[in-house]
Amino acid sequence: MNARSHTPVTTGLRLCLHGLLVGLLVLAAARAAGGHAPRSTAVVVLAGVMAVLYGAGVAARTVQPRTRASALWLAGLGAVWLSLLALSPDALWVAFPLYFLQLHLLPAHWGLPAVAATAAAAISGFLLHGQEITPGTFVGPLLGAAVAVATVLGYEALFRESERRRELIEELVSTRAELAAAERTAGTLAERERLAREIHDTLAQGLSSIQLLLRAAEHTLPDGAPAAAHVRRAREAAQENLAEARRFVRALTPPDLEHGSLAGALARLSARTRTPDLTVRFAVSGTPVELPTPYEVALLRTAQSALANTVRHADARRAEVTLTYMDTSVCLDVVDDGRGFDGGLDPGSGRGFHGSRSGSPDGGPDGGGHGTDGHGGHGTDGVREGRGAREDRGGFGLPAMRARARSLGGTLSVESAPGQGTAVAVTLPLPAATTSPGRSAA
């Protein structure tokens, strides 16, 4: 009869309701049989019919709150009870459990009128049998109806609150599981990036230097020198191990960079970030060149963090991601038209956060500037950090982005104003060996 969860409390309430109704029917039948009333047999039969009908409804799976089956079942119980009330005044007290059934199974706009009609029928039946009229004749059924209404409404409110708490707990458990999975994934990717960076910066660079030194030594040896063969084999071994180290680095790169260029990964990131309310555009400027893996990872992670901030905090309608290749540097710009923030205050310290210039003004490796050709609108005096960069704003990720840029000798700038959107730009100086065109934009 109840689709709700069977807790000890609700199970006890149901058993009490069943016992109350059956007990009152047994009492009415016993009083009729013991009193030898002319219609005692009919009273006993109707009491038995009502008990059987009640048991059938309790056992039926179709009798659930707010269903047609429950309404028909209550109508049948009401008809039998009215017949029993016409024969015996003792049936009046059966109205009390009927109140609870009506309030529980019927919608509120039907349950309350049904309770009122049942109370009126109980009072009328008592008067019909010529019983002595006292205040209790009217107060008893009405007070019982009021108690039933207050009890059921209170129970309904407690049940709704319990359901809300249960859903909240389930959501919290699910969120914790998702957060744990995300943290594990982020930790795995971070460790892979660290290993790739360490291998590239130490082992691969060392093997490359050894190979160059051995090649120089090989050229300086006279033809037919006994050591020439050993030097050649050592150079070939260094070359093979360098190729193996580079394969390790490629295997440890982020999945987005495994199947294409940095431009292709940024294009896919922009497409994934796009929503019905946010348009994200990606563009490449300049001639693409082959970048070291740490550079590609740093630029990709910066774009991911900046776009995540745009989605979570900016309430923007449009965002643009631009990858610019210049003579001595590579720049990534992420610009949105969101709400922006106050550029005159540093939330972390509560005082003005004035821009500081990083590196030398020539835009070289120390300065991290965009060069002299003016791509992306950045001048030759390096990239200045925008005033009001929110170092301590939760979820903004600026310290992590800035640390990535600085670890590669680059700079990060953030420029924003309330209602004017936000622009994030990271500039990395190109390594000296990166001078020829590489992979094209995807």
Side-chain angles (χ1 to χ4, degrees), residues 133-161:
I133 300 177
T134 63
T137 303
F138 301 93
V139 173
L142 295 177
L143 182 61
V147 170
V149 170
T151 302
V152 171
L153 292 181
Y155 169 76
E156 293 285 345
L158 290 175
F159 181 81
R160 287 192 297 269
E161 181 66 21

Side-chain angles (χ1 to χ4, degrees), residues 23-96:
L24 291 174
L25 288 176
V26 170
L27 178 62
R31 284 174 60 86
H36 303 288
R39 294 175 290 187
S40 59
T41 302
V43 171
V44 172
V45 171
L46 285 176
V49 170
M50 189 170 182
V52 171
L53 181 60
Y54 180 77
V58 170
R61 294 180 178 273
T62 57
V63 178
Q64 301 293 339
R66 280 73 171 170
T67 62
R68 181 180 178 85
S70 63
L72 293 176
W73 180 61
L74 286 175
L77 283 177
V80 177
W81 173 70
L82 289 175
S83 301
L84 184 61
L85 184 62
L87 298 177
S88 172
D90 295 323
L92 177 148
W93 307 112
V94 180
F96 191 68

Side-chain angles (χ1 to χ4, degrees), residues 194-208:
R194 188 189 68 80
L195 289 175
R197 185 166 56 250
E198 292 294 332
I199 293 174
H200 177 272
D201 294 343
T202 57
L203 181 60
Q205 295 293 345
L207 290 172
S208 179

